[in-house]
Amino acid sequence: MRTIVLHSCDLVDGTGTDPRHGVDIVVAGGTIREIVPARPADAYGTVDEIVDAAGMLMIPGLINNHTHGTAYGPLFPSGHVGLPHEQVLANLDRHLLEGTTTVLCVDGFVTAEALARTGEVHPINVKLASCNTPACLAAATIADGGGLTEANRMFTARHAVRAGAVALGEIGAGHTLGGGGASYMYIPAEIERRTGVKITPRQANGLKTAVLGQHISEKAFDRDRVEEALASAGLTGTLSVEDTREIVSGIVLPAFDIALHGLAEAAGQAREAGVPVLVHNAAASMTQVASIAETDVTLIAGHSNHSSFELREAVEHAGRLKEMGAIVDVSTLDTFGAQRLTTGPELLYAMFSAGVVDTISTDYAGGHHDPILLAIDRSIKAGVVSLPAAVAMATANVADAIPGLAPRRGRILPGMIADLVLTDPAELHHVGIVMVGGEIVVRAGRRVAA
């Protein structure tokens, strides 16, 4: 049994308690054997390895409850054509190098067999959520469905839970409920097909909002705003207002009501199966999400800082959900980096300041998500959340919210599985070492060959 000592680190253990300074963490096999005040290195005799961690910060491996493209199979709850296997592995590498040791893939139509094949070739602990209920399948088929095989269609949510899926989710999605997926995928693609003009996700989102509003309603159509959005996208004279209305409405509306219905349907199935349900929480779905929160299902309100919300609306809605017992999740999205749809961290900071956040995830952001530790680092420096609380939101809180996701993970305590991250306390996203199940899989910020 291999024994590793992580020597003289500072420790934030995931429980929300104050940091401890100058401790040794002894890992034997795949578990944490003891945590003690730092001893002289020679006190350990013939252990297999002593890692000098002085001046560094140890935290639990992050547990990310909202990822896409992290398992072989159809992409997104719209059943889009799956990513090449090498891209899935690259996505998992990216999460691992960011300090994540467990991910929940919420693409929704991935089969148990495809998940097992993914897990065989990567050290990250990958778990599955399913969205394969009748309404969600129907919405996916209408909106896209290009990656769905007969095996995917037959692997229902009930089958998935029996095969080990730990939640139902993502129920609803930006691709079926007129969210980010429509703005960065379907609307730009259709406009380019018709006109040959490439537009950005933000420009597409402007067109979508001008036609259907933030809450997705035909009554929100605003001709003047459409004309302004066309001008901003460089499409004046290329697309008419009516053409734009037809394109946007034709992409968003056919699946929309079915996908909304799917929220309650999936919540009912999750309640029967005894697993949580993770839902697409956005301006367009907030009424239905609030209704589910009134029931006794374990509800995770995904990306509650969704860019479709007005700031005050998001904070008040999250507060109501929390009062009803829902788990309020925020996602990093592309808040600090690409900002293809987000406009900055103000909403994220407001959620932290209001004390309504339970868990932190990344979501996908069209492949441009920011690292969880970057968002935590920036939020701590902005004074809106403490380090122990934020680490708990990305570790222990997630493990508690979804009991099957990361058993014996998320806390650095004796007897827990040794999923550990050693990072720079001054720049939390500068990850040095990642350990999964007692094995060092990242050193000096680089993957270690198996």
Side-chain angles (χ1 to χ4, degrees):
M1 181 172 62
R2 184 171 168 79
T3 300
I4 300 174
V5 178
L6 301 148
H7 180 55
S8 196
C9 60
D10 293 338
L11 171 64
V12 172
D13 64 12
T15 66
T17 57
D18 290 341
R20 296 165 62 182
H21 301 283
V23 301
D24 289 351
I25 301 171
V26 181
V27 174
T31 62
I32 298 165
R33 188 172 75 192
E34 62 178 343
I35 304 167
V36 295
R39 304 163 175 161
D42 58 12
Y44 290 101
T46 57
V47 297
D48 295 280
E49 182 177 358
I50 297 178
V51 176
D52 181 5
M56 301 296 284
L57 176 68
M58 188 69 72
I59 62 174
L62 305 183
I63 304 169
N64 189 342
N65 69 15
H66 193 144
T67 70
H68 296 283
T70 50
Y72 300 157
L75 184 64
F76 306 129
S78 60
H80 188 64
V81 174
L83 297 172
H85 287 187
E86 58 268 25
Q87 184 59 56
V88 172
L89 297 179
N91 289 346
L92 289 169
D93 275 352
R94 180 177 173 187
H95 284 292
L96 186 66
L97 295 171
E98 293 169 357
T100 297
T101 54
T102 298
V103 298
L104 182 64
C105 180
V106 297
D107 283 330
F109 293 105
V110 173
T111 64
E113 183 271 337
L115 181 73
R117 285 191 289 116
T118 310
E120 289 169 357
V121 292
H122 203 279
I124 279 189
N125 179 41
V126 185
K127 292 296 183 72
L128 181 65
S130 175
C131 71
N132 197 353
T133 66
C136 294
L137 177 58
T141 303
I142 292 168
D144 189 327
L148 296 176
T149 65
E150 187 61 21
N152 299 127
R153 293 177 181 275
M154 295 298 292
F155 192 62
T156 67
R158 290 187 172 94
H159 290 138
V161 171
R162 288 197 291 270
V166 298
L168 298 195
E170 181 186 7
I171 307 302
H175 308 77
T176 59
L177 283 173
S183 297
Y184 67 72
M185 283 179 61
Y186 301 128
I187 293 172
E190 180 61 14
I191 287 176
E192 183 176 6
R193 187 188 70 81
R194 293 200 189 192
T195 68
V197 177
K198 293 184 178 181
I199 64 171
T200 68
R202 192 179 300 280
Q203 289 166 338
N205 197 63
L207 294 171
K208 181 188 71 182
T209 304
V211 172
L212 295 172
Q214 297 289 96
H215 294 82
I216 311 298
S217 169
E218 291 182 277
K219 296 178 181 178
F221 175 74
D222 186 325
R223 180 174 294 274
D224 291 340
R225 287 189 67 188
V226 175
E227 289 177 346
E228 292 172 3
L230 285 169
S232 177
L235 291 168
T236 300
T238 302
L239 275 182
S240 70
V241 170
E242 290 306 322
D243 285 341
T244 305
R245 186 178 193 179
E246 181 262 322
I247 289 170
V248 171
S249 298
I251 288 170
V252 173
L253 294 180
F256 182 76
D257 287 338
I258 298 171
L260 274 185
H261 170 70
L263 294 169
E265 177 187 77
Q269 288 199 14
R271 187 184 308 107
E272 292 173 7
V275 297
V277 61
L278 187 153
V279 301
H280 177 90
N281 186 32
S285 60
M286 61 187 293
T287 300
Q288 287 73 18
V289 172
S291 295
I292 295 168
E294 293 176 341
T295 71
D296 59 353
V297 70
T298 299
L299 171 68
I300 301 169
H303 51 51
S304 294
N305 58 320
H306 195 271
S307 58
S308 63
F309 284 120
E310 299 293 336
L311 190 151
R312 181 175 177 179
E313 175 185 55
V315 172
E316 291 180 351
H317 175 55
R320 288 193 297 271
L321 292 177
K322 196 172 178 72
E323 288 173 359
M324 291 186 283
I327 296 156
V328 175
D329 178 72
V330 293
S331 292
T332 63
L333 304 169
D334 57 356
T335 299
F336 299 96
Q339 294 190 357
R340 298 198 312 163
L341 287 175
T342 58
T343 57
E346 291 76 18
L347 179 50
L348 181 66
Y349 289 171
M351 300 286 280
F352 282 131
S353 292
V356 296
V357 178
D358 296 304
T359 63
I360 308 170
S361 62
T362 58
D363 201 352
Y364 191 64
H368 298 272
H369 79 261
D370 290 329
I372 290 173
L373 286 176
L374 173 64
I376 289 176
D377 185 79
R378 297 287 178 83
S379 299
I380 291 169
K381 289 171 179 173
V384 295
V385 69
S386 71
L387 174 61
V391 169
M393 291 171 189
T395 57
N397 289 10
V398 189
D400 292 346
I402 308 175
L405 177 57
R408 294 177 58 214
R409 292 176 162 92
R411 293 173 172 85
I412 302 179
L413 299 171
M416 298 292 280
I417 293 172
D419 285 6
L420 305 173
V421 173
L422 189 67
T423 191
D424 182 349
E427 299 285 344
L428 293 175
H429 49 293
H430 292 171
V431 171
I433 286 177
V434 178
M435 180 179 282
V436 178
E439 295 290 331
I440 295 176
V441 293
V442 173
R443 289 183 188 269
R446 295 179 180 272
R447 273 290 309 270
V448 176

